[in-house]
Amino acid sequence: MFKLGEYYEEEATRVANYLRDAGFKVDVKGLVTAQSEFVAFLQGKASELRERNRILERHEKFISAMKAVLEKASNDEELMDLYLAELDPDWRTKRERMNEKDLEEADEKTRDELFESLAYSIVALDFAKDLYNLNDIKPGEPIGDLLDDPVINIHLKSQEADPEDPLLNERLEVDLEKMYVVSIDESSSALFRDYQEYQLITALGLVVEDLLECPEKGKMDIEDFAERCILDVGSRFTVSVDASLVAEEIARSLEKRGMLKIKGDTIKWKA
Protein backbone atom coordinates (compact mmCIF):
# COMPACT_ATOMS: atom_id res chain seq x y z
CA MET A 1 0.00 0.00 0.00
CA PHE A 2 1.11 3.57 -0.76
CA LYS A 3 0.73 6.02 2.14
CA LEU A 4 -0.78 9.36 1.12
CA GLY A 5 -0.61 11.03 4.51
CA GLU A 6 -2.00 11.39 8.02
CA TYR A 7 -5.26 13.24 8.56
CA TYR A 8 -7.77 14.09 11.26
CA GLU A 9 -10.85 11.87 11.17
CA GLU A 10 -13.15 14.15 9.16
CA GLU A 11 -10.52 14.89 6.53
CA ALA A 12 -9.46 11.22 6.35
CA THR A 13 -13.07 10.20 5.71
CA ARG A 14 -13.43 12.80 2.97
CA VAL A 15 -10.17 11.76 1.27
CA ALA A 16 -10.96 8.04 1.50
CA ASN A 17 -14.52 8.45 0.16
CA TYR A 18 -13.31 10.51 -2.78
CA LEU A 19 -10.68 7.93 -3.70
CA ARG A 20 -13.09 5.00 -3.34
CA ASP A 21 -15.56 6.79 -5.64
CA ALA A 22 -12.71 7.11 -8.14
CA GLY A 23 -12.18 3.34 -8.08
CA PHE A 24 -9.23 3.04 -5.70
CA LYS A 25 -8.67 0.34 -3.15
CA VAL A 26 -8.26 2.46 -0.01
CA ASP A 27 -7.05 1.54 3.45
CA VAL A 28 -7.64 3.78 6.50
CA LYS A 29 -5.95 3.00 9.81
CA GLY A 30 -6.13 4.98 13.03
CA LEU A 31 -3.09 5.69 15.15
CA VAL A 32 -2.24 7.78 18.20
CA THR A 33 0.46 10.40 17.66
CA ALA A 34 2.32 12.26 20.38
CA GLN A 35 3.95 15.67 20.40
CA SER A 36 6.16 16.36 23.40
CA GLU A 37 8.02 19.42 24.62
CA PHE A 38 10.10 20.25 27.70
CA VAL A 39 9.13 23.54 29.34
CA ALA A 40 11.43 25.31 31.81
CA PHE A 41 10.27 28.04 34.18
CA LEU A 42 11.09 29.78 37.45
CA GLN A 43 8.40 29.53 40.12
CA GLY A 44 8.33 31.73 43.18
CA LYS A 45 6.88 34.81 44.88
CA ALA A 46 6.69 37.90 42.70
CA SER A 47 8.81 39.83 45.20
CA GLU A 48 11.54 37.20 45.04
CA LEU A 49 11.58 37.21 41.27
CA ARG A 50 11.61 41.01 41.18
CA GLU A 51 14.75 41.00 43.30
CA ARG A 52 16.34 38.77 40.67
CA ASN A 53 15.19 41.06 37.84
CA ARG A 54 13.18 38.24 36.33
CA ILE A 55 9.85 40.04 36.12
CA LEU A 56 9.35 42.09 32.98
CA GLU A 57 7.00 45.02 32.45
CA ARG A 58 4.49 42.77 30.72
CA HIS A 59 4.35 40.46 33.73
CA GLU A 60 3.53 43.43 35.97
CA LYS A 61 0.74 44.38 33.55
CA PHE A 62 -0.62 40.84 33.66
CA ILE A 63 -0.76 40.85 37.47
CA SER A 64 -2.39 44.31 37.56
CA ALA A 65 -4.98 43.28 34.98
CA MET A 66 -5.94 40.21 37.01
CA LYS A 67 -6.27 42.34 40.15
CA ALA A 68 -8.58 44.75 38.32
CA VAL A 69 -11.06 42.16 37.05
CA LEU A 70 -11.01 39.29 39.54
CA GLU A 71 -13.96 40.51 41.64
CA LYS A 72 -15.99 41.48 38.55
CA ALA A 73 -16.10 38.00 37.03
CA SER A 74 -18.68 35.35 37.91
CA ASN A 75 -16.92 32.36 36.32
CA ASP A 76 -13.60 31.30 34.81
CA GLU A 77 -14.53 32.07 31.19
CA GLU A 78 -15.77 35.55 32.03
CA LEU A 79 -12.64 36.16 34.08
CA MET A 80 -10.36 35.46 31.13
CA ASP A 81 -12.49 37.62 28.81
CA LEU A 82 -12.38 40.57 31.21
CA TYR A 83 -8.67 40.01 31.78
CA LEU A 84 -7.84 40.22 28.07
CA ALA A 85 -10.12 43.25 27.66
CA GLU A 86 -8.29 44.98 30.53
CA LEU A 87 -4.99 44.43 28.72
CA ASP A 88 -6.36 45.43 25.31
CA PRO A 89 -9.91 46.85 24.97
CA ASP A 90 -9.87 45.96 21.23
CA TRP A 91 -8.80 42.34 21.60
CA ARG A 92 -12.22 40.94 20.59
CA THR A 93 -12.28 43.00 17.38
CA LYS A 94 -8.75 41.90 16.55
CA ARG A 95 -9.62 38.27 17.17
CA GLU A 96 -12.64 38.52 14.86
CA ARG A 97 -10.37 39.93 12.14
CA MET A 98 -8.13 36.86 12.34
CA ASN A 99 -9.99 35.14 9.53
CA GLU A 100 -8.73 34.24 6.09
CA LYS A 101 -10.72 36.90 4.23
CA ASP A 102 -9.70 39.80 6.47
CA LEU A 103 -6.06 38.72 6.49
CA GLU A 104 -5.98 38.49 2.69
CA GLU A 105 -7.44 41.99 2.33
CA ALA A 106 -5.24 43.59 5.00
CA ASP A 107 -1.91 45.23 4.21
CA GLU A 108 1.33 43.80 5.57
CA LYS A 109 1.51 46.23 8.51
CA THR A 110 -2.04 45.39 9.61
CA ARG A 111 -1.40 41.64 9.35
CA ASP A 112 1.74 42.00 11.46
CA GLU A 113 -0.20 43.94 14.09
CA LEU A 114 -2.94 41.30 14.21
CA PHE A 115 -0.45 38.44 14.57
CA GLU A 116 1.44 40.39 17.23
CA SER A 117 -1.81 40.92 19.13
CA LEU A 118 -2.62 37.22 18.90
CA ALA A 119 0.82 36.25 20.21
CA TYR A 120 0.49 38.73 23.08
CA SER A 121 -2.90 37.30 24.04
CA ILE A 122 -1.52 33.75 24.06
CA VAL A 123 1.36 34.75 26.35
CA ALA A 124 -1.02 36.70 28.61
CA LEU A 125 -3.44 33.78 28.91
CA ASP A 126 -0.62 31.35 29.65
CA PHE A 127 0.60 33.59 32.48
CA ALA A 128 -2.95 34.06 33.80
CA LYS A 129 -3.66 30.33 33.91
CA ASP A 130 -0.53 29.73 35.96
CA LEU A 131 -1.44 32.67 38.23
CA TYR A 132 -4.94 31.27 38.65
CA ASN A 133 -3.82 27.75 39.54
CA LEU A 134 -0.91 28.71 41.80
CA ASN A 135 -2.84 31.19 43.94
CA ASP A 136 -6.21 29.47 44.39
CA ILE A 137 -8.05 32.25 42.60
CA LYS A 138 -11.86 32.20 42.66
CA PRO A 139 -13.74 34.62 40.37
CA GLY A 140 -16.13 37.01 42.08
CA GLU A 141 -14.72 36.62 45.58
CA PRO A 142 -13.09 39.50 47.53
CA ILE A 143 -9.50 39.82 46.41
CA GLY A 144 -8.01 41.14 49.64
CA ASP A 145 -4.23 40.87 49.51
CA LEU A 146 -4.35 37.71 47.40
CA LEU A 147 -2.39 39.19 44.51
CA ASP A 148 -0.17 41.63 46.40
CA ASP A 149 2.69 39.13 46.24
CA PRO A 150 1.42 36.14 44.24
CA VAL A 151 3.28 33.01 43.25
CA ILE A 152 4.04 33.19 39.53
CA ASN A 153 5.78 31.31 36.78
CA ILE A 154 8.36 32.96 34.52
CA HIS A 155 9.02 30.81 31.46
CA LEU A 156 12.58 30.46 30.22
CA LYS A 157 14.30 29.53 27.03
CA SER A 158 16.08 26.21 27.39
CA GLN A 159 19.54 27.83 27.18
CA GLU A 160 18.64 30.20 30.04
CA ALA A 161 17.78 27.44 32.51
CA ASP A 162 20.28 26.91 35.32
CA PRO A 163 19.90 23.35 36.66
CA GLU A 164 21.25 24.52 40.05
CA ASP A 165 18.62 27.25 40.47
CA PRO A 166 16.29 26.28 43.37
CA LEU A 167 13.38 28.06 41.65
CA LEU A 168 13.80 26.14 38.41
CA ASN A 169 10.96 23.84 37.42
CA GLU A 170 10.72 21.69 34.33
CA ARG A 171 7.67 20.09 32.84
CA LEU A 172 7.22 17.62 30.02
CA GLU A 173 4.11 18.52 28.06
CA VAL A 174 2.72 15.70 25.93
CA ASP A 175 -0.18 16.14 23.51
CA LEU A 176 -1.80 12.97 22.22
CA GLU A 177 -3.91 13.04 19.07
CA LYS A 178 -5.82 10.47 17.08
CA MET A 179 -4.80 10.56 13.43
CA TYR A 180 -5.74 8.41 10.46
CA VAL A 181 -3.35 7.08 7.81
CA VAL A 182 -4.87 6.91 4.31
CA SER A 183 -3.19 4.53 1.86
CA ILE A 184 -4.03 3.27 -1.63
CA ASP A 185 -3.09 0.16 -3.54
CA GLU A 186 0.01 0.91 -5.64
CA SER A 187 -1.19 -0.63 -8.89
CA SER A 188 -4.39 1.45 -8.99
CA SER A 189 -2.47 4.74 -8.90
CA ALA A 190 -2.17 4.78 -12.69
CA LEU A 191 -5.92 5.47 -12.87
CA PHE A 192 -5.74 8.68 -10.88
CA ARG A 193 -6.02 12.10 -12.49
CA ASP A 194 -7.54 14.69 -10.13
CA TYR A 195 -7.02 15.43 -6.39
CA GLN A 196 -4.95 17.50 -3.97
CA GLU A 197 -2.60 14.55 -3.42
CA TYR A 198 -2.05 14.61 -7.20
CA GLN A 199 1.73 14.84 -7.12
CA LEU A 200 2.17 11.93 -4.72
CA ILE A 201 -0.20 9.59 -6.52
CA THR A 202 0.82 10.66 -10.01
CA ALA A 203 4.50 10.00 -9.28
CA LEU A 204 3.68 6.42 -8.38
CA GLY A 205 1.17 6.22 -11.21
CA LEU A 206 3.79 7.18 -13.80
CA VAL A 207 5.94 4.25 -12.70
CA VAL A 208 3.06 1.78 -12.82
CA GLU A 209 1.89 3.06 -16.22
CA ASP A 210 5.37 2.68 -17.66
CA LEU A 211 5.60 -0.87 -16.33
CA LEU A 212 2.21 -1.84 -17.78
CA GLU A 213 2.71 -0.15 -21.14
CA CYS A 214 6.13 -1.74 -21.72
CA PRO A 215 6.16 -5.07 -19.88
CA GLU A 216 9.32 -7.12 -20.16
CA LYS A 217 9.28 -10.32 -22.16
CA GLY A 218 10.28 -13.44 -20.30
CA LYS A 219 11.86 -13.27 -16.86
CA MET A 220 13.76 -10.56 -14.97
CA ASP A 221 15.32 -10.36 -11.54
CA ILE A 222 14.19 -7.93 -8.85
CA GLU A 223 17.22 -5.67 -9.41
CA ASP A 224 16.25 -5.14 -13.07
CA PHE A 225 12.65 -4.56 -12.00
CA ALA A 226 13.85 -1.93 -9.51
CA GLU A 227 15.69 -0.15 -12.33
CA ARG A 228 12.41 -0.08 -14.29
CA CYS A 229 10.95 1.80 -11.33
CA ILE A 230 13.25 4.77 -12.01
CA LEU A 231 12.17 7.08 -14.81
CA ASP A 232 12.19 10.64 -16.14
CA VAL A 233 9.09 11.98 -17.86
CA GLY A 234 8.87 15.19 -19.86
CA SER A 235 11.24 17.43 -21.78
CA ARG A 236 11.48 21.08 -20.69
CA PHE A 237 9.65 20.25 -17.46
CA THR A 238 10.79 16.86 -16.23
CA VAL A 239 9.30 14.69 -13.53
CA SER A 240 11.93 12.37 -12.05
CA VAL A 241 10.62 9.47 -10.03
CA ASP A 242 12.72 6.97 -8.12
CA ALA A 243 10.54 4.17 -6.78
CA SER A 244 13.33 1.58 -6.75
CA LEU A 245 13.27 1.26 -2.97
CA VAL A 246 9.61 0.19 -3.08
CA ALA A 247 9.96 -2.00 -6.15
CA GLU A 248 9.06 -5.18 -4.26
CA GLU A 249 5.86 -3.61 -2.93
CA ILE A 250 4.88 -2.51 -6.44
CA ALA A 251 5.63 -5.98 -7.81
CA ARG A 252 3.51 -7.67 -5.12
CA SER A 253 0.64 -5.31 -5.87
CA LEU A 254 0.82 -6.12 -9.60
CA GLU A 255 1.02 -9.82 -8.78
CA LYS A 256 -2.24 -9.59 -6.83
CA ARG A 257 -3.85 -8.19 -9.96
CA GLY A 258 -2.56 -11.08 -12.05
CA MET A 259 -0.14 -9.03 -14.16
CA LEU A 260 3.06 -10.83 -13.19
CA LYS A 261 4.36 -13.71 -11.12
CA ILE A 262 7.04 -13.52 -8.43
CA LYS A 263 9.14 -16.54 -7.61
CA GLY A 264 12.04 -15.89 -5.25
CA ASP A 265 14.01 -13.01 -6.75
CA THR A 266 12.61 -13.61 -10.23
CA ILE A 267 9.70 -11.83 -11.88
CA LYS A 268 7.83 -13.16 -14.92
CA TRP A 269 5.32 -11.01 -16.78
CA LYS A 270 2.10 -12.70 -17.79
CA ALA A 271 1.04 -12.49 -21.40
Side-chain angles (χ1 to χ4, degrees), residues 8 28 50 58 62 70 73 81 86 91 95 121 124 148 159 171-172 189 195 200 205 210 216 219 223-224 229 232 253:
Y8 290 107
V28 180
R50 286 191 187 100
R58 69 168 180 264
F62 296 159
L70 183 55
D81 283 346
E86 182 71 19
W91 79 271
R95 182 182 64 179
S121 295
D148 287 350
Q159 61 268 29
R171 181 172 64 239
L172 175 62
S189 61
Y195 199 62
L200 288 174
D210 183 70
E216 298 286 343
K219 299 179 181 180
E223 286 80 9
D224 291 335
C229 293
D232 291 327
S253 179

Side-chain angles (χ1 to χ4, degrees), residues 71-99:
E71 294 182 6
K72 301 176 184 179
S74 58
N75 55 56
D76 295 349
E77 183 176 355
E78 186 179 5
L79 174 62
M80 293 304 169
D81 283 346
L82 291 173
Y83 166 75
L84 288 176
E86 182 71 19
L87 290 167
D88 181 1
D90 295 328
W91 79 271
R92 290 187 182 88
T93 301
K94 292 176 181 177
R95 182 182 64 179
E96 290 170 359
R97 294 184 64 189
M98 291 294 294
N99 60 70

